[in-house]
Amino acid sequence: MKLNLQQRLAATAATVCLLLPLATLPGCSESEASSTPVGGITPQQFADGVHAVMMADRTVYAKHVVTNLNKQDAPVKAFEYWEDTENSIPLPAQMFRMGAELVDENPEAGFTYALRSKWPLNEQHQAKTELEQTALDFLSENPGENFYGEEKLGDQKYFVAVYPDRAVAEACWSCHNDHPNRGDDYPEFAKDDVMGGVLVRIPL
Amino acid sequence: MMIQLKPIWNALRESPNGPKWLTWAAINLSIAAYFGYGLVAPASSHKTAWLPGETTHGHYQIELDCNACHDPGRSTEGPSGADVMQDACIRCHGAQLDLAKDTHPANKFRDPTNAERLKILDAQNCLTCHQEHVPEQTLSMGLTMPADYCWHCHQEVADSRPSHRGMAYDSCATAGCHNYHDNRALYEKYLDDHHGQSDHLELAALPQRSTLESLSGAFRAQQSLTIDDADHPSSWTTDPGFSENSASEDSLSGDSLLDDWATTAHASAGVNCSHCHRGDKDSAGDDAPWSEQVAIERCQQCHERQVESFKTGKHGMRLAAGLSPMTPDLARLPMHAGQAHAELDCSACHSGHRFDTQFAATDACLRCHADDHSLAYGDSSHAALWRDELAGNGPLGSGVSCATCHLPRLEGDSGIWVNHDQNASLRPNETMARQVCTHCHGLEYSLSALADPQTVASCFGDPPAERIKSVQMAHEWFEQQEAKRAARRDNR
């Protein structure tokens, strides 16, 4: 199971690497980022593309692996402490984060991605910049829309795309709603609710 | 333009101060030659003058090989002016950190949102926390920055963990709580899983080694050999002088060497004299010459993981750097004088032809080590258990030798193997709790004992004076979380 997972993550990274050379990422404003230069794709198109790949893989994992195991009452379960527990596989969010770490280790990837939430069960997933906070607020107030923007971190300017992260599988909301780390203000999530955001960051 | 030396020389001879000038020049040239040679000389005491300050206990053995850390050419990525020393750190410690599931790897901080934090504390560079040659600011584990460094990123920890309110930030990394890199025995789920264990477990025993399965190379499980099969040189047994010279102190005749070999796993596995005492055949298919000394590389052919791990510890790190073997007279720990020049290679502990693992497990260590911890071992309850096991009065695996704790038996892909890096379970010593102590003791007792310097010095003869609180804290945390979860379910 672990090998298959790694292979899948590697395939995701490879797909992303194939897409990357197509992208032209000159310094451009937010409005320019949405336009299509001749012979290339915009940062937004690139972000939309890699997001589509990563979310497809994650949805398949959550729906057809984790939920399916739960429904079958199989001995193997997705569990937060899977590395130290027999018959355990990573949670969808952990699988997603491990993929992000692999892409992060690839110097050719040219972008990073991460999960963010206004109600993070893992503190690492809380908004870390003003733009990220703005993006999460925007996603809450504008269901169904994506957020695009730019920000400067250190000496580097970035194009940032944040996509709504929805509850796609029963395993997602049931586990989140019952998680011991949830705070008092934690919403009771249901199918298709926006639980947070998937952030893609591209250096300009 | 050529410098005319003769007129200068003549002028100096005729000058009343000529001899003084010549003496001055000679002294300066000598000093320049001394330091200049130190720069270009291979690793040796000639480089001592260039050491900018005392080196840490982890690196002093290789301090005279300046290039071990400062040579850009040793990077696998090619010459790199900026990351030479970082590369050197990763070359030796990268695999160890991966194995330890490093909780603060450099890539964790690669997220660009850390840019401002990294300006305060560059957590992507080993040298931020681990500088060399600065003994006046070097703390335990080679830390060279103030011990409250956790504060920079975790100053709001009490918001999510109220139990941590009021705790000092220089107390985070004390035993039983947190480490920066290796938290395999300290993360909260592991602590909670081991809550409530008694100090001494009912089923207390080490896992048994999978000797055959843990071998590498081609010599495993072949037809067993007897003395008649030994393929030593024909002159060997008829020349008592030869055999005496080549024998260790444990076996002084050629016959006893053969007897010893014939009773070992080597003979059982079909490993003949030539496998160890000759190299590989040359390109023409001729046998390599016989050698009395067995190079560590020969051992490595079958015992790859053991030799590799040996070279990452303080016993073998000089060999890994291409230097002469470690000897006790180079050690900073107290050692017995009689073994000052004994060279540390495989045969130092697995001596003679018996390769006696029982001797290697305790007697070999105590032959050299003379610090308080080692000297106290003989009177400890651990030693009593070891003696009982050797005498057949205790179950297999119930004894505790030096090797039990310092050469832990680890679960590998091909069974249980013995890690020969005797420092690995001390980086930091909580590593030993998970790998060793918890085979026989409860986790809380183990962490408490390892956290108490007096208990360690007495070789665990003295019980820990204080109990660490992290196991109880983790358990209470999970209980509180579960209570909240139950309350929510009731309210739905």
Side-chain angles (χ1 to χ4, degrees), chain B residues 298-316:
Chain B
R298 300 303 298 171
C299 308
Q300 192 168 4
Q301 284 197 320
C302 297
H303 304 280
E304 186 177 5
R305 205 151 37 162
Q306 288 79 358
V307 171
E308 278 181 358
S309 56
F310 173 76
K311 286 181 177 177
T312 61
K314 287 184 181 172
H315 282 168

Side-chain angles (χ1 to χ4, degrees), chain A residues 84 104 123 177-178 180, chain B residues 110 160 187 434 481 485 489:
Chain A
D84 245 4
D104 193 33
E123 288 174 16
N177 288 343
D178 201 32
Chain B
R110 208 179 289 155
S160 56
Y187 73 89
R434 177 157 180 160
Q481 296 297 84
R485 178 187 279 183
R489 283 179 190 151

